[in-house]
């Protein structure tokens, strides 16, 4: 049975302790972070970690990231970071940032899917932080969604996917950022973005002077990849989807209009609502506000999918700043059906 906890307006300390105890006992708990909801378990308990893979239907060669609440725990679970890694930690933790580091033996092999590295994240969200602290153990937590579905950014979207499969669900309202953390691994002295997020390439470059973006961010992965998650279908609605982008606004509007078929829903900019001739139009945000689009996109994909359209057309954004992360998710949610002119 799943117990529900409402921490939307405030954290109930007694209930928080109860949920922390579930985690210590090896049970699964869904909790909010500033990026997306996570389905968490005690990262030091291989049986509990295995249950996460089962609950999500996740391939067991796709490693989990480990969430911590303080830097002492970091020392216990990973080897001493290099100077550059430490600079990144100082700059971006806590926050929407995951750093891949060489793991110590206490991290079970199923967490890291057999790799000798593990992703570490220190959420800044208050509920996540207090829960991890109260659990007194690092927490393995992938995004709360069935494998291949859009990540959960509010409880009503993921309730049906996990009801009965987890011991607790904490409702903290809609997550602030809406897309998952930036995943970075320092490779040959260069911080390499394996998954883009709210922390942008520019943010990283500003701190350490160099940055690179893995070539698979916008491309389908074939063969060996740095991050196993790149191989898998992700963020996908059930309907067929098309992503459309042009640097020229009018060309983008024309492209959308040209591709509309019967029973098509368009997801696009609020500024284009009257210019795009779809029977149903959903706003993902303003052309001038990528934070708004990032916040809305996953829940919107789910909402539109529930309408069972035959076709979904999504307006893309410029691949710049947070736009890189938005386009990475949209390209994958449309299964690489992408037109750019
Ligand atoms: O914002 C987030 O990161 C959320 C919240 C809950 O913290 N979590 C999340 O976890 O998105 P997940 O498991 O859905 O995504 C983690 C990504 C996957 O693509 C995985 O392949 C990659 O990180 N990853 C994990 N460990 C890795 C490792 N050792 N080396 C390379 N990539 C790794
Ligand atoms: Mg995920």
């Amino acid at each position: 049975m799943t117990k529900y906890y409402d921490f939307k307006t405030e954290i109930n300390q007694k209930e928080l302790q109860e949920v922390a105890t579930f985690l210590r006992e090896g049970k699964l708990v869904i909790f909010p972070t500033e990026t997306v909801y996570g389905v968490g378990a005690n990262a030091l308990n291989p049986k509990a970690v295995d249950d996460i893979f089962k609950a999500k239907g996740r391939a067991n060669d796709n490693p989990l990231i480990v969430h911590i609440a303080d830097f002492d725990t970091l020392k216990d679970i990973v080897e001493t970071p290099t100077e550059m890694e430490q600079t990144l930690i100082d700059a971006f933790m806590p926050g929407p940032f995951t750093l891949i580091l060489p793991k110590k033996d206490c991290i079970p092999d199923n967490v890291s899917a057999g790799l000798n590295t593990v992703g570490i994240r220190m959420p800044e969200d208050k509920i996540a932080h207090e829960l991890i602290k109260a659990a007194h153990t690092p927490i393995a937590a992938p995004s709360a969604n069935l494998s291949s579905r859009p990540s959960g950014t509010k409880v009503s979207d993921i309730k049906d996917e996990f009801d009965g499969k987890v011991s607790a669900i904490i409702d903290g309202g809609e997550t602030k950022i809406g897309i998952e953390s930036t995943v970075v691994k320092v490779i040959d002295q260069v911080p390499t973005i394996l998954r883009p997020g709210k922390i942008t390439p520019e943010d990283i470059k500003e701190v350490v002077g160099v940055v690179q973006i893995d070539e698979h961010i916008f491309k389908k992965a074939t063969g060996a990849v740095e991050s196993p998650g790149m191989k898998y279908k992700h963020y996908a609605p059930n309907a067929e989807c098309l992503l459309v982008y042009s640097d020229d606004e009018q060309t983008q509007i024309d492209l959308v209009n040209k591709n509309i078929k019967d029973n098509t829903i368009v997801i696009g900019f609020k500024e284009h609502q009257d210019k795009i001739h779809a029977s149903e139009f959903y706003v993902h945000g303003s052309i001038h506000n990528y934070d708004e689009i990032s916040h809305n996109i996953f829940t919107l994909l789910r909402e539109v999918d529930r309408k069972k359209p035959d076709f979904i057309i999504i307006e893309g954004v410029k691949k710049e700043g947070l736009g890189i992360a938005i386009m990475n998710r949209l390209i994958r949610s449309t299964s690489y059906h992408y037109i750019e002119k």
Side-chain angles (χ1 to χ4, degrees), residues 32 45 58-59 79 117 124 131 135 144 156 161 164 189 231 235 260 265-266 280 294 303 308 320-321:
N45 177 339
R58 183 176 176 111
E79 300 299 338
T117 54
E124 68 186 351
L131 178 66
S156 57
E161 289 178 12
Q189 289 294 315
K231 292 184 305 193
Y235 320 117
I260 291 172
I265 294 183
V266 174
E280 283 196 87
S294 144
E303 185 182 341
K308 299 202 186 313
E320 234 176 51

PDB file of all heavy atoms in Angstrom, residues 32 45 58-59 79 117 124 131 135 144 156 161 164 189 231 235 260 265-266 280 294 303 308 320-321:
ATOM      1  N   PRO A  32       9.829  14.952  -4.124  1.00  0.00           N
ATOM      2  CA  PRO A  32      10.130  16.011  -5.086  1.00  0.00           C
ATOM      3  C   PRO A  32      11.584  16.473  -4.983  1.00  0.00           C
ATOM      4  O   PRO A  32      12.198  16.371  -3.920  1.00  0.00           O
ATOM      5  CB  PRO A  32       9.202  17.149  -4.649  1.00  0.00           C
ATOM      6  CG  PRO A  32       9.009  16.942  -3.183  1.00  0.00           C
ATOM      7  CD  PRO A  32       9.091  15.454  -2.950  1.00  0.00           C
ATOM      8  N   ASN A  45      21.741  -0.351  -0.095  1.00  0.00           N
ATOM      9  CA  ASN A  45      21.001  -1.606   0.041  1.00  0.00           C
ATOM     10  C   ASN A  45      20.656  -2.158  -1.357  1.00  0.00           C
ATOM     11  O   ASN A  45      19.726  -1.681  -2.012  1.00  0.00           O
ATOM     12  CB  ASN A  45      19.734  -1.325   0.862  1.00  0.00           C
ATOM     13  CG  ASN A  45      18.835  -2.536   1.011  1.00  0.00           C
ATOM     14  OD1 ASN A  45      18.910  -3.477   0.230  1.00  0.00           O
ATOM     15  ND2 ASN A  45      17.974  -2.505   2.017  1.00  0.00           N
ATOM     16  N   ARG A  58      13.054  -0.429 -15.619  1.00  0.00           N
ATOM     17  CA  ARG A  58      14.287   0.165 -16.167  1.00  0.00           C
ATOM     18  C   ARG A  58      15.302  -0.921 -16.512  1.00  0.00           C
ATOM     19  O   ARG A  58      15.467  -1.887 -15.762  1.00  0.00           O
ATOM     20  CB  ARG A  58      14.877   1.104 -15.124  1.00  0.00           C
ATOM     21  CG  ARG A  58      16.138   1.881 -15.565  1.00  0.00           C
ATOM     22  CD  ARG A  58      16.502   2.818 -14.453  1.00  0.00           C
ATOM     23  NE  ARG A  58      17.715   3.581 -14.623  1.00  0.00           N
ATOM     24  CZ  ARG A  58      17.749   4.903 -14.810  1.00  0.00           C
ATOM     25  NH1 ARG A  58      16.639   5.583 -14.926  1.00  0.00           N
ATOM     26  NH2 ARG A  58      18.897   5.539 -14.874  1.00  0.00           N
ATOM     27  N   ALA A  59      16.004  -0.736 -17.651  1.00  0.00           N
ATOM     28  CA  ALA A  59      17.053  -1.674 -18.043  1.00  0.00           C
ATOM     29  C   ALA A  59      18.150  -1.650 -16.989  1.00  0.00           C
ATOM     30  O   ALA A  59      18.535  -0.569 -16.530  1.00  0.00           O
ATOM     31  CB  ALA A  59      17.637  -1.265 -19.392  1.00  0.00           C
ATOM     32  N   GLU A  79      35.842   8.431  -4.577  1.00  0.00           N
ATOM     33  CA  GLU A  79      37.266   8.756  -4.406  1.00  0.00           C
ATOM     34  C   GLU A  79      37.429  10.282  -4.379  1.00  0.00           C
ATOM     35  O   GLU A  79      36.565  11.012  -4.877  1.00  0.00           O
ATOM     36  CB  GLU A  79      38.079   8.168  -5.568  1.00  0.00           C
ATOM     37  CG  GLU A  79      37.997   6.646  -5.706  1.00  0.00           C
ATOM     38  CD  GLU A  79      38.531   5.895  -4.485  1.00  0.00           C
ATOM     39  OE1 GLU A  79      39.325   6.489  -3.715  1.00  0.00           O
ATOM     40  OE2 GLU A  79      38.136   4.731  -4.293  1.00  0.00           O
ATOM     41  N   THR A 117      32.153   4.092 -11.896  1.00  0.00           N
ATOM     42  CA  THR A 117      31.812   5.474 -11.531  1.00  0.00           C
ATOM     43  C   THR A 117      30.373   5.531 -11.030  1.00  0.00           C
ATOM     44  O   THR A 117      29.583   4.609 -11.277  1.00  0.00           O
ATOM     45  CB  THR A 117      31.920   6.392 -12.755  1.00  0.00           C
ATOM     46  OG1 THR A 117      31.114   5.839 -13.810  1.00  0.00           O
ATOM     47  CG2 THR A 117      33.348   6.552 -13.220  1.00  0.00           C
ATOM     48  N   GLU A 124      18.863  20.895  -3.963  1.00  0.00           N
ATOM     49  CA  GLU A 124      18.681  22.053  -3.069  1.00  0.00           C
ATOM     50  C   GLU A 124      17.241  22.188  -2.602  1.00  0.00           C
ATOM     51  O   GLU A 124      16.967  22.945  -1.677  1.00  0.00           O
ATOM     52  CB  GLU A 124      19.179  23.338  -3.732  1.00  0.00           C
ATOM     53  CG  GLU A 124      18.355  23.819  -4.918  1.00  0.00           C
ATOM     54  CD  GLU A 124      19.002  25.022  -5.605  1.00  0.00           C
ATOM     55  OE1 GLU A 124      19.985  25.570  -5.069  1.00  0.00           O
ATOM     56  OE2 GLU A 124      18.522  25.391  -6.688  1.00  0.00           O
ATOM     57  N   LEU A 131      14.684  15.207   3.721  1.00  0.00           N
ATOM     58  CA  LEU A 131      14.404  13.765   3.706  1.00  0.00           C
ATOM     59  C   LEU A 131      15.706  12.961   3.680  1.00  0.00           C
ATOM     60  O   LEU A 131      15.877  11.999   4.434  1.00  0.00           O
ATOM     61  CB  LEU A 131      13.526  13.413   2.492  1.00  0.00           C
ATOM     62  CG  LEU A 131      13.213  11.929   2.335  1.00  0.00           C
ATOM     63  CD1 LEU A 131      12.343  11.427   3.489  1.00  0.00           C
ATOM     64  CD2 LEU A 131      12.526  11.653   0.996  1.00  0.00           C
ATOM     65  N   ALA A 135      17.148  10.499   6.584  1.00  0.00           N
ATOM     66  CA  ALA A 135      17.322   9.071   6.287  1.00  0.00           C
ATOM     67  C   ALA A 135      18.704   8.578   6.734  1.00  0.00           C
ATOM     68  O   ALA A 135      18.915   7.375   6.912  1.00  0.00           O
ATOM     69  CB  ALA A 135      17.122   8.818   4.799  1.00  0.00           C
ATOM     70  N   ALA A 144      11.030   9.893 -11.429  1.00  0.00           N
ATOM     71  CA  ALA A 144       9.830   9.098 -11.138  1.00  0.00           C
ATOM     72  C   ALA A 144       8.925   9.057 -12.366  1.00  0.00           C
ATOM     73  O   ALA A 144       8.155   9.981 -12.624  1.00  0.00           O
ATOM     74  CB  ALA A 144       9.092   9.686  -9.941  1.00  0.00           C
ATOM     75  N   SER A 156       0.059  14.126  -9.521  1.00  0.00           N
ATOM     76  CA  SER A 156      -1.097  13.586 -10.254  1.00  0.00           C
ATOM     77  C   SER A 156      -0.673  12.901 -11.566  1.00  0.00           C
ATOM     78  O   SER A 156      -1.354  12.004 -12.049  1.00  0.00           O
ATOM     79  CB  SER A 156      -2.125  14.692 -10.528  1.00  0.00           C
ATOM     80  OG  SER A 156      -1.515  15.735 -11.248  1.00  0.00           O
ATOM     81  N   GLU A 161       1.204   5.382 -12.193  1.00  0.00           N
ATOM     82  CA  GLU A 161       2.360   4.553 -12.562  1.00  0.00           C
ATOM     83  C   GLU A 161       2.998   3.873 -11.349  1.00  0.00           C
ATOM     84  O   GLU A 161       3.669   2.860 -11.490  1.00  0.00           O
ATOM     85  CB  GLU A 161       3.408   5.416 -13.297  1.00  0.00           C
ATOM     86  CG  GLU A 161       2.943   5.815 -14.688  1.00  0.00           C
ATOM     87  CD  GLU A 161       3.926   6.711 -15.445  1.00  0.00           C
ATOM     88  OE1 GLU A 161       5.086   6.865 -15.020  1.00  0.00           O
ATOM     89  OE2 GLU A 161       3.498   7.255 -16.488  1.00  0.00           O
ATOM     90  N   GLY A 164       0.780   1.627  -5.229  1.00  0.00           N
ATOM     91  CA  GLY A 164       0.901   0.222  -4.852  1.00  0.00           C
ATOM     92  C   GLY A 164       2.311  -0.339  -5.012  1.00  0.00           C
ATOM     93  O   GLY A 164       2.636  -1.385  -4.473  1.00  0.00           O
ATOM     94  N   GLN A 189      40.394  16.094 -18.491  1.00  0.00           N
ATOM     95  CA  GLN A 189      40.469  17.477 -17.973  1.00  0.00           C
ATOM     96  C   GLN A 189      39.410  18.423 -18.536  1.00  0.00           C
ATOM     97  O   GLN A 189      39.484  19.634 -18.321  1.00  0.00           O
ATOM     98  CB  GLN A 189      41.862  18.083 -18.257  1.00  0.00           C
ATOM     99  CG  GLN A 189      42.984  17.488 -17.425  1.00  0.00           C
ATOM    100  CD  GLN A 189      42.810  17.827 -15.944  1.00  0.00           C
ATOM    101  OE1 GLN A 189      42.519  18.965 -15.579  1.00  0.00           O
ATOM    102  NE2 GLN A 189      42.936  16.828 -15.091  1.00  0.00           N
ATOM    103  N   LYS A 231      21.038   5.742 -24.684  1.00  0.00           N
ATOM    104  CA  LYS A 231      20.623   4.713 -25.646  1.00  0.00           C
ATOM    105  C   LYS A 231      19.121   4.503 -25.659  1.00  0.00           C
ATOM    106  O   LYS A 231      18.571   3.946 -26.592  1.00  0.00           O
ATOM    107  CB  LYS A 231      21.242   3.349 -25.268  1.00  0.00           C
ATOM    108  CG  LYS A 231      22.725   3.290 -25.435  1.00  0.00           C
ATOM    109  CD  LYS A 231      23.221   1.878 -25.142  1.00  0.00           C
ATOM    110  CE  LYS A 231      22.806   1.378 -23.776  1.00  0.00           C
ATOM    111  NZ  LYS A 231      23.487   0.167 -23.328  1.00  0.00           N
ATOM    112  N   TYR A 235      11.045  10.058 -22.546  1.00  0.00           N
ATOM    113  CA  TYR A 235      10.182  11.238 -22.539  1.00  0.00           C
ATOM    114  C   TYR A 235       9.056  11.159 -23.557  1.00  0.00           C
ATOM    115  O   TYR A 235       8.530  12.171 -23.988  1.00  0.00           O
ATOM    116  CB  TYR A 235      10.998  12.522 -22.818  1.00  0.00           C
ATOM    117  CG  TYR A 235      12.339  12.576 -22.157  1.00  0.00           C
ATOM    118  CD1 TYR A 235      13.513  12.631 -22.898  1.00  0.00           C
ATOM    119  CD2 TYR A 235      12.428  12.562 -20.772  1.00  0.00           C
ATOM    120  CE1 TYR A 235      14.756  12.690 -22.285  1.00  0.00           C
ATOM    121  CE2 TYR A 235      13.657  12.620 -20.141  1.00  0.00           C
ATOM    122  CZ  TYR A 235      14.822  12.682 -20.906  1.00  0.00           C
ATOM    123  OH  TYR A 235      16.035  12.734 -20.299  1.00  0.00           O
ATOM    124  N   ILE A 260       0.223  20.020 -40.267  1.00  0.00           N
ATOM    125  CA  ILE A 260      -0.983  19.645 -39.515  1.00  0.00           C
ATOM    126  C   ILE A 260      -1.838  18.660 -40.331  1.00  0.00           C
ATOM    127  O   ILE A 260      -2.069  18.867 -41.529  1.00  0.00           O
ATOM    128  CB  ILE A 260      -1.793  20.913 -39.129  1.00  0.00           C
ATOM    129  CG1 ILE A 260      -1.016  21.710 -38.078  1.00  0.00           C
ATOM    130  CG2 ILE A 260      -3.183  20.548 -38.615  1.00  0.00           C
ATOM    131  CD1 ILE A 260      -1.596  23.072 -37.761  1.00  0.00           C
ATOM    132  N   ILE A 265      -2.657  17.788 -32.433  1.00  0.00           N
ATOM    133  CA  ILE A 265      -2.538  18.819 -31.394  1.00  0.00           C
ATOM    134  C   ILE A 265      -1.179  19.489 -31.552  1.00  0.00           C
ATOM    135  O   ILE A 265      -0.161  18.808 -31.753  1.00  0.00           O
ATOM    136  CB  ILE A 265      -2.667  18.213 -29.978  1.00  0.00           C
ATOM    137  CG1 ILE A 265      -4.091  17.655 -29.764  1.00  0.00           C
ATOM    138  CG2 ILE A 265      -2.356  19.271 -28.909  1.00  0.00           C
ATOM    139  CD1 ILE A 265      -4.347  17.108 -28.371  1.00  0.00           C
ATOM    140  N   VAL A 266      -1.162  20.813 -31.489  1.00  0.00           N
ATOM    141  CA  VAL A 266       0.101  21.548 -31.542  1.00  0.00           C
ATOM    142  C   VAL A 266       0.446  22.060 -30.143  1.00  0.00           C
ATOM    143  O   VAL A 266      -0.408  22.569 -29.430  1.00  0.00           O
ATOM    144  CB  VAL A 266       0.018  22.730 -32.543  1.00  0.00           C
ATOM    145  CG1 VAL A 266       1.284  23.582 -32.475  1.00  0.00           C
ATOM    146  CG2 VAL A 266      -0.199  22.218 -33.962  1.00  0.00           C
ATOM    147  N   GLU A 280      -6.577  22.104 -31.925  1.00  0.00           N
ATOM    148  CA  GLU A 280      -6.218  22.250 -30.515  1.00  0.00           C
ATOM    149  C   GLU A 280      -4.775  22.712 -30.380  1.00  0.00           C
ATOM    150  O   GLU A 280      -3.863  22.148 -30.991  1.00  0.00           O
ATOM    151  CB  GLU A 280      -6.386  20.914 -29.782  1.00  0.00           C
ATOM    152  CG  GLU A 280      -7.844  20.613 -29.474  1.00  0.00           C
ATOM    153  CD  GLU A 280      -7.938  19.520 -28.426  1.00  0.00           C
ATOM    154  OE1 GLU A 280      -7.900  19.843 -27.221  1.00  0.00           O
ATOM    155  OE2 GLU A 280      -8.029  18.356 -28.825  1.00  0.00           O
ATOM    156  N   SER A 294      10.627  24.888 -19.901  1.00  0.00           N
ATOM    157  CA  SER A 294      11.241  23.771 -19.173  1.00  0.00           C
ATOM    158  C   SER A 294      10.324  23.298 -18.028  1.00  0.00           C
ATOM    159  O   SER A 294      10.122  22.100 -17.817  1.00  0.00           O
ATOM    160  CB  SER A 294      12.615  24.228 -18.681  1.00  0.00           C
ATOM    161  OG  SER A 294      12.950  23.714 -17.439  1.00  0.00           O
ATOM    162  N   GLU A 303      -0.347  15.564 -20.604  1.00  0.00           N
ATOM    163  CA  GLU A 303      -1.721  16.059 -20.734  1.00  0.00           C
ATOM    164  C   GLU A 303      -2.229  15.899 -22.169  1.00  0.00           C
ATOM    165  O   GLU A 303      -3.346  15.415 -22.398  1.00  0.00           O
ATOM    166  CB  GLU A 303      -1.761  17.543 -20.318  1.00  0.00           C
ATOM    167  CG  GLU A 303      -3.164  18.119 -20.291  1.00  0.00           C
ATOM    168  CD  GLU A 303      -3.172  19.602 -19.930  1.00  0.00           C
ATOM    169  OE1 GLU A 303      -2.184  20.103 -19.358  1.00  0.00           O
ATOM    170  OE2 GLU A 303      -4.187  20.250 -20.232  1.00  0.00           O
ATOM    171  N   LYS A 308      -5.408  11.602 -26.581  1.00  0.00           N
ATOM    172  CA  LYS A 308      -5.292  10.611 -27.645  1.00  0.00           C
ATOM    173  C   LYS A 308      -5.369  11.194 -29.064  1.00  0.00           C
ATOM    174  O   LYS A 308      -6.172  10.751 -29.891  1.00  0.00           O
ATOM    175  CB  LYS A 308      -6.364   9.519 -27.474  1.00  0.00           C
ATOM    176  CG  LYS A 308      -6.235   8.746 -26.165  1.00  0.00           C
ATOM    177  CD  LYS A 308      -6.920   7.396 -26.273  1.00  0.00           C
ATOM    178  CE  LYS A 308      -6.969   6.631 -24.977  1.00  0.00           C
ATOM    179  NZ  LYS A 308      -5.705   6.568 -24.226  1.00  0.00           N
ATOM    180  N   GLU A 320      20.330  27.040 -27.346  1.00  0.00           N
ATOM    181  CA  GLU A 320      21.218  27.965 -26.642  1.00  0.00           C
ATOM    182  C   GLU A 320      20.826  27.994 -25.182  1.00  0.00           C
ATOM    183  O   GLU A 320      19.627  27.986 -24.871  1.00  0.00           O
ATOM    184  CB  GLU A 320      20.975  29.373 -27.204  1.00  0.00           C
ATOM    185  CG  GLU A 320      22.198  30.080 -27.696  1.00  0.00           C
ATOM    186  CD  GLU A 320      21.812  31.421 -28.311  1.00  0.00           C
ATOM    187  OE1 GLU A 320      21.083  32.195 -27.653  1.00  0.00           O
ATOM    188  OE2 GLU A 320      22.216  31.651 -29.456  1.00  0.00           O
ATOM    189  N   GLY A 321      21.787  28.053 -24.256  1.00  0.00           N
ATOM    190  CA  GLY A 321      21.457  28.106 -22.826  1.00  0.00           C
ATOM    191  C   GLY A 321      20.566  26.940 -22.432  1.00  0.00           C
ATOM    192  O   GLY A 321      20.821  25.789 -22.795  1.00  0.00           O
TER     193      GLY A 321
END
